[in-house]
Amino acid sequence: MKRICLYFEIHQITHLKRYRFFDIGTDHYYYDDFENERSINNIAANSYMPALEAIQEMIGKFGSFFKVAFSISGVGFEQLELHAPQVLDKLDELAKTGCVEFLAEPYSHGLSSLANAEAFKADVKKQMDMMEERFGKRPTVLRNSSLIYSDDIGMMAADMGFKGMLTEGAKHVLGWKSPHYVYHCALNPKLKLLLRDIKLSDDISLRFNNREWDGYPLFADNYINEIAALPEDEKVINIFMELSALGIAQPLSSNILEFLKALPLCAQRNGNIGFATPEEIFNDTKSVGELNVPDTLSWVDEERDISSWLGNPMQREAFNKLYSVAERVRIANNPMITQDWDYLQASNNFRFMTTKPSHVGLDRGIYSSPFDAFTNYMNILGDFIQRVNALYPDLDNEQLEQMLTLNRNQDEELAVKDKEISRLEAKLEKVEKTNEKLHAELDELKKA
């Protein structure tokens, strides 16, 4: 049977305010609260809530036949919690159905995987803690920001214990291969990979309402028939997109939700197509081979690389300056510094600075140009770095490294102790069960 792996990303931009050079050192609040509230309420009303209600209706109608996966960035979660908690409540309801899987991703929706391994691991762990606390299950599958992946990133994910990752089925990586199989990381075969089907995903998220597209109008039965017509041994069809595609990129007036709701019915009628979550696929599907990705790829723009964020000198300067204080931020463990660190890492801050053309289009918000976005961000970053450095003004790089080494050693010691505690607790539980069994047997002997 062919299985559709349907995944939606939920992330919300935290908009920065206009910040002047002369604000550095005097104003430590960087955000446009009005725009943040306006934008999240707009997307919640016109996309998230209608889409999630449609998915809930689909689960109610089709039960465990229909499965879906989500990931939620930490910064997006915070915006929802503050301004649109009804979205999180709806996700709570979906989580209880058993038909939904929540994936791990960087809390900041940032680019830490390209800069600092420790910052990346901390970023992902923070989001996983949040997901486990909210939905009761710790994610086992990782989705990096914008599906960013390379062999080295896959190695980091494997070291963190993930079963698998999602990434882009880019032609320049796949070559003659198909994205409809499970692959594994070239540096660690324990990490399996699911690859996004670019055409089938973009038919929904980018082209659905385009009257000039030769596939318009797209009907659910034709879409399922296209999947059914794939070669028999191509069993895994990965359809990944932002949840905002349902209602924002493709307006509700386009009947996008009616199309979505018809998919499981058409699949059920076909008889040889079902739905599965990433974890289910990783658990019961073997890899057909390794995927070599020496250069970083993503799901953005035609190039499917990282040039949208780091393609020009402005972007690289801002990126390098931000991560130059990554270790100091981690040592500081200051709540206000950490919150600003999460928001300033978000990848959209760098995308606003791009100078490359994009067929998808880009709303720069308050910025009139890439240079304007760069200037505003660097002003904010200048103030932020001053605050970080002020926490440890007398530490040189050697002393900083000593503190980091000490922290790492302490973390490792705590991890060893936690494992030992877990082992002893399990042993104690086993002894207690044995004692209970012996007491029960003794009572039976006394009665006899």
Side-chain angles (χ1 to χ4, degrees), residues 432-445:
E432 288 175 347
K433 286 181 179 179
T434 301
N435 285 339
E436 289 175 3
K437 185 178 179 181
L438 289 173
H439 282 303
E441 291 175 353
L442 183 60
D443 290 340
E444 288 296 325
L445 288 172

Side-chain angles (χ1 to χ4, degrees), residues 68-82:
V68 65
F70 297 97
S71 74
I72 312 172
S73 71
V75 294
F77 187 99
E78 290 183 16
Q79 291 294 312
L80 290 170
E81 196 169 39
L82 187 62

Side-chain angles (χ1 to χ4, degrees), residues 321-378:
K321 189 169 184 179
L322 173 67
Y323 284 101
S324 70
V325 294
E327 305 294 6
R328 288 178 180 265
V329 170
R330 193 154 57 86
I331 289 173
N333 197 26
N334 179 289
M336 291 304 298
I337 291 289
T338 300
Q339 184 178 59
D340 291 336
W341 172 249
D342 290 335
Y343 296 157
L344 293 177
Q345 283 189 87
S347 62
N348 54 275
N349 292 313
F350 302 96
R351 183 144 167 78
F352 291 149
M353 304 175 200
T354 187
T355 51
K356 58 179 287 195
S358 171
H359 71 285
V360 177
L362 174 65
D363 180 4
R364 297 186 201 271
I366 64 171
Y367 305 124
S368 59
S369 68
F371 182 75
D372 186 27
F374 171 74
T375 302
N376 200 69
Y377 184 80
M378 292 302 280

Side-chain angles (χ1 to χ4, degrees), residues 229-342:
L230 293 169
E232 185 178 350
D233 60 340
E234 297 188 11
K235 302 289 190 184
V236 181
I237 294 81
N238 303 306
I239 301 170
F240 306 159
M241 68 192 77
E242 297 176 355
L243 185 61
S244 60
L246 309 179
I248 301 297
Q250 308 305 320
L252 298 178
S253 60
S254 69
N255 293 322
I256 185 69
L257 295 185
E258 285 67 27
F259 167 84
L260 181 73
K261 288 188 281 189
L263 287 178
L265 177 62
C266 294
Q268 206 169 55
R269 286 175 177 171
N270 176 276
N272 193 41
I273 298 175
F275 292 81
T277 63
E279 184 177 29
E280 288 176 334
I281 294 172
F282 288 139
N283 284 342
D284 61 23
T285 308
K286 292 182 179 180
S287 167
V288 297
E290 67 180 26
L291 188 74
N292 290 291
V293 190
D295 299 317
T296 310
L297 63 90
S298 77
W299 71 357
V300 174
D301 291 344
E302 290 294 335
E303 297 86 354
R304 313 288 172 183
D305 59 13
I306 58 173
S307 58
S308 292
W309 306 285
L310 300 176
N312 65 46
M314 290 187 299
Q315 293 170 307
R316 292 190 292 272
E317 181 180 347
F319 177 81
N320 292 333
K321 189 169 184 179
L322 173 67
Y323 284 101
S324 70
V325 294
E327 305 294 6
R328 288 178 180 265
V329 170
R330 193 154 57 86
I331 289 173
N333 197 26
N334 179 289
M336 291 304 298
I337 291 289
T338 300
Q339 184 178 59
D340 291 336
W341 172 249
D342 290 335

Side-chain angles (χ1 to χ4, degrees), residues 83-150:
H83 300 299
Q86 69 273 19
V87 175
L88 296 178
D89 292 340
K90 183 60 67 176
L91 287 168
D92 285 333
E93 294 175 20
L94 291 173
K96 293 173 184 176
T97 66
C99 299
V100 173
E101 179 183 355
F102 292 97
L103 311 184
E105 75 159 65
Y107 190 95
S108 67
H109 195 76
L111 307 174
S112 55
S113 61
L114 305 175
N116 186 296
E118 293 301 322
F120 174 63
K121 291 176 182 178
D123 209 5
V124 172
K125 182 181 181 300
K126 184 175 180 180
Q127 189 265 4
M128 293 172 69
D129 292 342
M130 176 193 72
M131 300 301 284
E132 184 176 23
E133 181 179 354
R134 180 77 190 205
F135 301 114
K137 187 173 185 288
R138 198 165 187 80
T140 62
V141 176
L142 175 64
R143 179 262 185 198
N144 199 8
S145 309
S146 300
L147 297 188
I148 289 173
Y149 178 81
S150 69

